[in-house]
Amino acid sequence: GSPPAPSMPPPPMPPPTVVQPTQEGQWTGKLTKSGELVCDVLISDVPHAARSVMSPSLLSLDCASRMPWSSVETLLQRWRRGDSGHPPMTPTVMHVKAKDRDGLSAYSTFAYSLMERAIAGVVRVASSAPLRMGQSRADQERVIFILPPASDVLNALGLPSSTDNLLAVLPPEGAAGLAAAAPPPSSSAMAPPPTSMAPPQSKDDQAQRLMNTLELASKLLNYKNPS
């Protein structure tokens, strides 16, 4: 009979897909404004206490609402001195940087907007923890404030004046005053407030806004991209 056909070797197996875990202490994702992409960002200084919030499952920092910087500053002072039965608390401050140069223009524009209007972007992060009795999901939300590197912001947070990137401020867990001070997005959208609602600005206010804008422009011109 005819010789047996040579056996064919099995086709090579495709290489396994390797998913690189997020580096410990680092978060990467998208910075968005009411769902609209601003740019990809990197936070490389996530402390251990904040990693349950800044986890790989959090895909974006969505600034769906805004809050006056003056209100954020009041909350910072309130937490630090402690009141209403709460001990003194310290918020977590992280540095938000553009992930690559392609996003730097949009990043700068967003930072200008926050500084010029003296506001913070408000990010709400849902909790995956089980609900306790009497709690709603809204009660378990964590809030993150996105702030520009303006002089008054840096002074309030105890940061050096050379800081040139956006800041993510995570209030202490259980911090007082957040529910009233940071209303839900439906009542505080990122769209500019109507002109008729805007408080009149004194010449001193206008001069301070201009100085803040020039200060940020100078910082962003010297901004060193992490990549």
Side-chain angles (χ1 to χ4, degrees):
S2 59
S7 60
M8 299 293 292
M13 293 292 291
T17 300
V18 178
V19 178
Q20 295 292 340
T22 300
Q23 182 180 341
E24 187 175 10
Q26 177 173 296
W27 180 87
T28 59
K30 299 185 181 303
L31 176 63
T32 59
K33 184 175 68 172
S34 298
E36 181 181 346
L37 178 65
V38 176
C39 66
D40 292 329
V41 291
L42 165 72
I43 300 177
S44 59
D45 57 347
V46 181
H48 188 271
R51 287 175 197 166
S52 61
V53 179
M54 307 301 299
S55 68
S57 62
L58 179 65
L59 302 180
S60 68
L61 296 173
D62 185 31
C63 299
S65 56
R66 69 175 185 271
M67 184 173 169
W69 157 243
S70 58
S71 298
V72 179
E73 187 176 28
T74 298
L75 285 175
L76 290 172
Q77 295 168 349
R78 180 178 178 182
W79 298 331
R80 283 184 173 143
R81 69 173 180 261
D83 65 356
S84 304
H86 292 79
M89 298 176 168
T90 302
T92 298
V93 180
M94 297 166 283
H95 296 256
V96 184
K97 300 184 178 182
K99 189 177 177 184
D100 50 54
R101 295 199 175 277
D102 291 343
L104 192 53
S105 175
Y107 175 97
S108 302
T109 299
F110 184 73
Y112 273 126
S113 175
L114 295 181
M115 180 173 280
E116 203 278 328
R117 296 163 64 193
I119 58 173
V122 180
V123 178
R124 294 178 176 273
V125 180
S127 171
S128 58
L131 291 174
R132 295 195 291 270
M133 185 176 294
Q135 274 194 329
S136 67
R137 281 294 174 200
D139 295 330
Q140 287 193 327
E141 281 183 335
R142 296 296 298 273
V143 169
I144 301 172
F145 296 118
I146 305 298
L147 293 163
S151 295
D152 47 354
V153 173
L154 299 179
N155 288 338
L157 296 174
L159 296 175
S161 59
S162 58
T163 302
D164 59 2
N165 47 257
L166 290 170
L167 302 162
V169 177
L170 175 66
E173 192 167 8
L178 279 176
S186 58
S187 61
S188 185
M190 281 295 290
T195 304
S196 60
M197 296 291 291
Q201 290 188 354
S202 68
K203 288 185 177 180
D204 286 345
D205 288 337
Q206 292 172 348
Q208 184 60 51
R209 289 284 181 87
L210 178 59
M211 287 177 64
N212 282 343
T213 302
L214 292 173
E215 175 189 26
L216 182 58
S218 175
K219 287 181 176 181
L220 290 173
L221 283 174
N222 297 314
Y223 180 81
K224 291 182 175 58
N225 194 281
S227 60

